[in-house]
Amino acid sequence: MAVDYTTRDGVAVITLNNPPVNGLGLSTRAGIVEGIERAQNDPAITAIVLTGAGKAFSGGADITEFNTPKATREPTLATVIKAVEGSAKPVVAAIHSVAMGGGLELALGAHYRIAARGAQIALPEVKLGILPGAGGTQRLPRAIGLEAALNMIVSGATVLSDTLAGSGLFDELVEGDLAEAACAFARKVGAKEGPHPKVRERQITHPNAAGFIQFARNSVAAAAKPFPAPHKCIDAIEAGVLNGFDKGLAFERECFVALVQTPKSRALRHAFFGERAASKIPDVPADTPVRDIEQVAVIGAGTMGGGIAMNFVNAGFPVTLLETRQEALDRGLATIRKNYEASVSKGKLEPEALEARMALITPTLSYDDLKNADLIVEAVFEELGVKEQVFSRLDEVAKAGAILASNTSTLDLDKIAAFTKRPQDVVGMHFFSPANVMKLLEVVRGRQTAKDVLATVMKLAKKIKKTAVVSGVCDGFIGNRMIEQYIRQALFMLEEGALPAQVDKAIEKFGFAMGPFRMSDLAGNDIGWAIRRRRYQEHPGMHYSRIADRLCETGRFGQKTGGGWYDYKAGERTAYPSKVVDEMIVAYSKEIGVARRKIGDEEIVERLVLALVNEGAKILEEGIASKASDIDMVYLTGYGFPIYRGGPMLHADTLGLYNVERAIRRYAAQPNGDAWQLAPGIARLAAEGRGFNG
Ligand code: 3H9
């Protein structure tokens, strides 16, 4: 049973007991109704306390039940709340830790609410692409006022119970023993004559509700472009204001049912679970012991090393920062300081905090100063010879059990590990630039990386607020290996008839933050050039368009040289289509004997996205990623894939793998088709009528 029923001196205590967060799944819902009825039928009971066991009052509806028969089976949450609200004996919600979504809606159905200080209160449904579907849009405005409620509902933001003191939501805020206080409160109100107050009966008072709602609509229109849910939240609140509680409730329900079935909501829920699933590694049990990490060291104070150091400093870790030359060290420290100063001037950091953070950094030129570090992250030049020097030196100085991490983005981690006599302690921590900003961390698992090293790094990733995804060893790991195929298609399309601005526009309209050519100009076209030159030697048979090499031969490396695929004005980041480059592209097609054709936006998007999907499927098949959602998390958090499409693999499922297979086979039969070798996994899943996510 997911609900416990006990009695305490005339008070029935109904305790949700459905770990981890007391999600309101079917058995929990049934348990609450049963408990309410049992209390009605017991003459010794005068009042009811409704609370949650463990780490939450309730995290809301059980999201895993959405779009399954269980979600609509009675008692639905609406029925549960009706039972609570209709109880003749007063119900007191005793809220601690977390009351979110349906959990808060349940509490709003109670006659009284008392809360522990510091409890997290939210209606976060909008973050899942839905709106509160059990009366939240109707009751919260009646409890805390129209403006505060609308802001909470539309943003999904978490507000502490302390902040809501005096708002009308809570009857009492409690410092000490909540259960004790709730029972005492319940006894007091149980002694009173009913009926007991109902939030639904309160009035929404606002001097200019219509004006405020219009203002909110305008703000949301600018901020929530591709998402329907925030708009529907406002519509539902407005329906309640204009037409009263019952009509508002019915309208809210209608909107909820429609939104929960949309691909956008499915994508957001996929991202929610994908983020949590990424930290679970199939053969590394959750109870794997972790190593203590107190002291961190970073080797290399360049852009990457500096950004990595900032991550740890921000989380309170003392960091020793090693460079080979004083000048480089000074420059690195100055950049870190500049970054923090920018945060101070934006009001995101207190000036004292800046100094405190800088004080956590110990600069050094000596490897001997790394001997106390529990974790050492190397961020030096991407060249195996350089890594060899660093790791053999680390092997000499690092203490036993220290984790030795490489930030390599392209090199073979197993080779790096072999430079030491402790390959079990070596792991990849591939940060993305700017490392202090980007959420993604690829954790690269070498052939011999110890399980406790992996477990430690995954736990640490949470502390430094990264989304960590484990990747096996392969060229480019998950993210860059896939992006290479995407860029390859982008370049082929230039040869065949497209221009950079058209390609970028099409994929940005699909939802990518930045198209491949703007992205290359930002990262530096010389980086891709260096990788390609390596590829030409390693895989001489592999077919690449040489058009990007042509661009690089002219010195157009991107924003940093004032020109790349686009032109840039000094001091600006705006990309202006470049006549010179466009003419160069057209001339190149002619030179290689290609008759340029008009390429539609649909083809551009399809080729780019399916290139990711096809490579992603191979990565999955080879076990480089352990699940499709890991690949999606890499793309959502590191590559600007539109979150409302859930990542390339979920997007492929939405298209249907049968259609994906057909499209890939079609492109494989066209010019440059040799770049398309259909991943066997796609054909297999399509034949079984399945998707990457089941
Ligand atoms: C809703 O309520 C709709 C209603 O308006 C209308 C209905 C008709 N369901 O985040 P954590 C799992 S929509 C199922 O690591 P934390 C989570 O997957 C809901 N599972 O812990 C994870 O599982 P695992 C509105 C859920 O302490 C485990 O719990 N509510 C749910 O860092 C621990 O999660 C929300 O959107 C759920 N509702 O944070 C709240 N919630 O261990 C979403 C969590 O297998 N939840 N799980 O990986 C959160 O924001 C955080 O989980 C919370 C705890 C703050 C509660």
Side-chain angles (χ1 to χ4, degrees):
M1 194 48 141
V3 171
D4 299 329
Y5 183 95
T6 52
T7 57
R8 266 168 93 159
D9 293 334
V11 175
V13 181
I14 300 175
T15 307
L16 314 189
N17 194 354
N18 183 21
V21 298
N22 297 324
L24 295 161
L26 180 59
S27 62
T28 314
R29 301 195 303 266
I32 300 171
V33 174
E34 240 174 69
I36 296 284
E37 278 170 5
R38 194 167 155 187
Q40 307 304 309
N41 296 332
D42 183 347
I45 295 297
T46 59
I48 302 161
V49 165
L50 185 58
T51 191
K55 66 176 195 176
F57 171 76
S58 169
D62 183 343
I63 309 166
T64 59
E65 279 188 359
F66 283 5
N67 299 333
T68 72
K70 273 186 172 178
T72 43
R73 272 215 10 226
E74 290 287 2
T76 61
L77 190 52
T79 304
V80 175
I81 293 171
K82 217 171 172 180
V84 167
E85 202 168 46
S87 164
K89 298 178 182 177
V91 181
V92 181
I95 297 166
H96 65 88
S97 315
V98 166
M100 289 189 180
L104 179 57
E105 292 173 298
L106 175 65
L108 282 162
H111 305 104
Y112 304 96
R113 281 153 299 281
I114 76 168
R117 290 197 178 275
Q120 300 177 53
I121 311 295
L123 287 177
E125 284 86 344
V126 77
K127 293 182 183 169
L128 301 171
I130 51 177
L131 83 171
T137 63
Q138 305 306 307
R139 288 193 182 86
L140 195 64
R142 285 171 168 79
I144 66 172
L146 177 63
E147 293 198 15
L150 189 143
N151 289 338
M152 271 182 78
I153 293 168
V154 168
S155 68
T158 300
V159 180
L160 290 185
S161 53
D162 311 54
T163 313
L164 290 164
S167 66
L169 183 58
F170 302 123
D171 297 278
E172 256 181 36
L173 273 189
V174 176
E175 200 75 66
D177 186 335
L178 179 71
E180 189 58 46
C183 286
F185 185 92
R187 258 173 236 118
K188 205 169 63 190
V189 292
K192 284 191 196 164
E193 197 63 28
H196 295 278
K198 295 182 178 136
V199 172
R200 62 182 290 148
E201 287 167 356
R202 296 190 203 170
Q203 295 302 313
I204 299 176
T205 52
H206 190 282
N208 181 10
F212 175 71
I213 286 172
Q214 188 52 45
F215 164 77
R217 247 190 242 297
N218 296 343
S219 319
V220 163
K225 252 185 194 150
F227 297 100
H231 303 280
K232 291 292 173 194
C233 291
I234 300 182
D235 292 348
I237 293 170
E238 184 183 44
V241 170
L242 296 179
N243 308 320
F245 185 88
D246 287 325
K247 287 198 173 139
L249 196 66
F251 183 72
E252 176 198 87
R253 182 75 204 151
E254 215 175 277
C255 296
F256 178 85
V257 169
L259 284 174
V260 79
Q261 291 170 39
T262 58
K264 283 180 180 163
S265 172
R266 182 181 176 212
L268 292 171
R269 282 180 270 135
H270 175 72
F272 175 84
F273 287 117
E275 172 147 21
R276 281 148 184 88
S279 61
K280 298 185 179 86
I281 312 166
D283 63 334
V284 180
D287 58 359
T288 303
V290 292
R291 301 186 187 182
D292 274 344
I293 304 291
E294 280 166 21
Q295 301 269 339
V296 176
V298 176
I299 306 182
T303 316
M304 207 58 190
I308 294 172
M310 286 175 75
N311 277 302
F312 290 103
V313 165
N314 295 347
F317 290 94
V319 174
T320 305
L321 186 60
L322 176 86
E323 254 299 348
T324 46
R325 287 171 305 115
Q326 186 64 45
E327 190 191 275
L329 198 51
D330 293 343
R331 208 176 30 241
L333 283 171
T335 307
I336 294 175
R337 179 174 281 280
K338 221 172 81 195
N339 286 339
Y340 282 136
E341 280 169 357
S343 302
V344 170
S345 62
K346 284 182 204 148
K348 290 185 180 161
L349 190 71
E350 294 298 322
E352 311 82 68
L354 182 160
E355 292 309 330
R357 289 193 189 182
M358 290 308 293
L360 280 174
I361 305 176
T362 308
T364 183
L365 296 172
S366 166
Y367 268 88
D368 291 337
D369 289 335
L370 308 189
K371 62 178 186 298
N372 292 326
D374 304 300
L375 165 74
I376 305 174
V377 188
E378 158 279 311
V380 302
F381 192 66
E382 278 288 87
E383 214 266 300
L384 208 56
V386 183
K387 306 283 185 195
E388 179 169 9
Q389 280 171 17
V390 170
F391 276 82
S392 23
R393 189 78 184 90
L394 280 183
D395 205 17
E396 291 165 11
V397 297
K399 68 179 184 189
I403 295 178
L404 311 181
S406 171
N407 178 52
T408 185
S409 55
T410 47
L411 300 174
D412 183 338
L413 187 82
D414 291 326
K415 284 189 185 154
I416 295 177
F419 297 140
T420 72
K421 289 187 276 312
R422 36 173 134 177
Q424 73 282 359
D425 294 339
V426 178
V427 67
M429 287 180 80
H430 179 208
F431 288 86
F432 287 72
S433 192
N436 53 317
V437 177
M438 296 293 289
K439 285 248 343 148
L440 177 62
L441 175 68
E442 273 182 334
V443 174
V444 184
R445 178 180 194 170
R447 223 180 6 244
Q448 297 190 59
T449 306
K451 290 185 180 179
D452 67 337
V453 167
L454 275 178
T456 305
V457 171
M458 297 307 278
K459 186 174 169 208
L460 194 62
K462 278 193 186 146
K463 283 199 185 152
I464 60 171
K465 300 199 168 75
K466 297 288 173 197
T467 300
V469 176
V470 175
S471 169
V473 176
C474 68
D475 202 336
F477 311 128
I478 298 173
N480 283 345
R481 174 169 157 184
M482 286 166 67
I483 209 75
E484 186 175 344
Q485 299 308 320
Y486 165 98
I487 302 273
R488 240 175 124 198
Q489 285 303 318
L491 296 175
F492 282 138
M493 284 190 277
L494 293 190
E495 271 183 26
E496 293 169 30
L499 291 172
Q502 187 202 353
V503 174
D504 282 351
K505 245 188 228 144
I507 197 74
E508 285 163 14
K509 200 162 157 219
F510 172 82
F512 262 85
M514 209 182 269
F517 297 107
R518 286 211 296 137
M519 186 178 78
S520 289
D521 273 1
L522 180 68
N525 294 316
D526 48 330
I527 295 175
W529 196 22
I531 295 173
R532 281 195 305 280
R533 278 186 296 195
R534 184 154 63 84
R535 289 278 185 283
Y536 299 157
Q537 293 194 343
E538 289 169 354
H539 308 284
M542 196 154 158
H543 176 193
Y544 277 93
S545 166
R546 300 291 169 119
I547 197 156
D549 301 352
R550 284 289 170 87
L551 182 84
C552 290
E553 282 156 18
T554 66
R556 294 185 68 108
F557 292 161
Q559 286 190 17
K560 62 184 170 190
T561 57
W565 293 106
Y566 296 91
D567 292 335
Y568 298 90
K569 292 183 184 159
E572 269 189 32
R573 284 177 178 269
T574 313
Y576 296 96
S578 168
K579 194 160 171 282
V580 182
V581 172
D582 292 356
E583 281 172 6
M584 184 201 87
I585 292 168
V586 173
Y588 182 79
S589 303
K590 196 166 170 198
E591 185 189 319
I592 59 168
V594 171
R596 292 176 69 79
R597 65 184 172 90
K598 185 168 169 15
I599 299 185
D601 287 0
E602 201 179 320
E603 178 177 341
I604 292 173
V605 169
E606 196 167 55
R607 283 174 68 173
L608 292 180
V609 175
L610 294 190
L612 294 176
V613 171
N614 199 35
E615 199 61 26
K618 291 177 189 173
I619 282 172
L620 209 50
E621 191 105 351
E622 292 167 25
I624 298 295
S626 63
K627 45 199 171 309
S629 65
D630 281 359
I631 297 175
D632 286 337
M633 290 320 294
V634 166
Y635 267 77
L636 293 177
T637 57
Y639 290 82
F641 199 96
I643 183 145
Y644 54 86
R645 297 189 193 272
M649 309 315 272
L650 186 79
H651 181 66
D653 286 352
T654 308
L655 296 173
L657 293 194
Y658 172 82
N659 298 319
V660 168
E661 178 182 350
R662 283 184 59 214
I664 292 178
R665 288 195 190 280
R666 200 173 64 242
Y667 290 124
Q670 283 182 12
N672 294 320
D674 56 335
W676 293 101
Q677 262 112 35
L678 179 72
I682 294 181
R684 198 184 54 248
L685 288 170
E688 291 167 5
R690 291 167 52 209
F692 291 115
N693 293 281

